[in-house]
Amino acid sequence: MYDLFLKTAREIFEEAKAQKRLHYNPDYGTLRKWFADEPGVRRTRYGSLEVDTEPTSRLARFTKNNIDEPFGPAEEAFLAKAKQWMSREELIAFDVTVGDGSEGVSARMVVPRKHAHVCYGGTKLFKPAAVADPAYWVLFFMDEEFEKNKGRKQPDKKVMLRNAHSADGRMVKFVNNSNYIGEWKKGIFAGEDYRVKLKNDAIFLHAGCRMDYLEDVHGDFKVTSSLFAAL
């Protein structure tokens, strides 16, 4: 089933390219402009852009992979639907390097241009690259249920997410009816987790760090550094 996922992803990419509907690796300024033009975008007092996503968090309960679940006709229909809906859109394709680049692992996002904030956010997380054969693909598409989902509680949303892993650690992920950037980030993490598990030499941590200028209980301000890590 991985081969069918990869074939579909490549066909979507090549068809959009041939029809001149594809914006491949646009620069940071262009992505920011497209993001700023999205409906409902707000500018913070510091000049940053923010927008509400649909949904506002990940959709783990709607996500399946071909390692833990059997894929079959439902996934074949899902891929056909993805190809149908993405054929109607201007698309952005954006390649990144995963990690420090020493292992030659790369990933490609494909998302409708009208949801450019997903790609713009991705430029903050990974180093841009240009590759012919990415190890991971993460493709986003929306259908007629996307707008209706905004009025539904999360368990009732009409969404579907599928990760297809290959025997050698490659992955293709399709995301239906979510423009939440976490699905891009976690898509790459899912690919990396499985690829490294195949090598049997990994401990997995979810970690982050930040620096803040905070006021303490005495009214003084100082820079505070925080590190968070969890298995």
Side-chain angles (χ1 to χ4, degrees):
M1 185 60 76
Y2 166 80
D3 291 339
L4 180 58
F5 271 69
L6 180 60
K7 178 176 181 288
T8 304
R10 286 174 171 168
E11 287 176 349
I12 289 168
F13 177 87
E14 293 297 338
E15 182 180 276
K17 183 178 179 181
Q19 296 175 356
K20 302 188 184 305
R21 293 184 291 107
L22 183 73
H23 304 275
Y24 181 51
N25 283 342
D27 60 54
Y28 180 86
T30 300
L31 285 173
R32 183 179 172 87
K33 180 182 183 303
W34 290 339
F35 180 8
D37 289 340
E38 289 185 37
V41 168
R42 302 174 294 275
R43 291 181 182 271
T44 71
R45 61 189 295 183
Y46 302 105
S48 298
L49 302 175
E50 63 178 13
V51 67
D52 294 330
T53 62
E54 171 53 41
T56 56
S57 61
R58 291 192 63 239
L59 297 161
R61 71 173 66 198
F62 299 102
T63 304
K64 294 182 180 180
N65 66 74
N66 64 328
I67 306 301
D68 301 315
E69 303 276 353
F71 280 9
E75 281 68 35
E76 293 177 8
F78 175 65
L79 294 176
K81 185 178 183 180
K83 190 172 180 181
Q84 174 191 359
W85 281 88
M86 295 184 83
S87 70
R88 309 174 182 182
E89 301 278 3
E90 277 188 73
L91 300 177
I92 302 171
F94 200 82
D95 296 346
V96 299
T97 296
V98 178
D100 62 6
S102 61
E103 295 187 84
V105 181
S106 57
R108 174 172 294 163
M109 172 200 300
V110 183
V111 64
R113 203 201 85 166
K114 60 188 178 186
H115 300 284
H117 70 269
V118 183
C119 194
Y120 178 80
T123 66
K124 307 283 189 176
L125 299 173
F126 303 98
K127 183 179 178 181
V131 297
D133 185 24
Y136 311 132
W137 292 71
V138 182
L139 301 95
F140 293 75
F141 74 99
M142 291 70 183
D143 59 33
E144 72 280 358
E145 300 292 341
F146 179 73
E147 290 297 329
K148 299 176 186 177
N149 277 344
K150 295 178 180 180
R152 296 168 176 152
K153 294 182 179 179
Q154 186 144 317
D156 301 321
K157 292 182 184 295
K158 305 297 183 184
V159 296
M160 188 171 174
L161 298 88
R162 293 294 183 267
N163 299 341
H165 299 272
S166 72
D168 61 351
R170 302 167 74 84
M171 185 203 71
V172 179
K173 174 178 181 176
F174 276 86
V175 179
N176 174 220
N177 289 335
S178 173
N179 63 3
Y180 178 58
I181 190 176
E183 298 300 346
W184 161 240
K185 179 179 69 173
K186 293 295 186 179
I188 292 179
F189 288 176
E192 279 292 271
D193 285 354
Y194 187 65
R195 183 184 69 85
V196 177
K197 281 177 183 177
L198 292 175
K199 297 165 58 179
N200 297 313
D201 63 352
I203 296 176
F204 296 95
L205 294 174
H206 192 169
C209 60
R210 61 182 295 159
M211 297 178 65
D212 300 286
Y213 189 61
L214 302 175
E215 183 180 10
D216 64 24
V217 295
H218 305 294
D220 299 320
F221 285 85
K222 64 177 181 179
V223 174
T224 301
S225 301
S226 304
L227 173 66
F228 304 89
L231 287 173

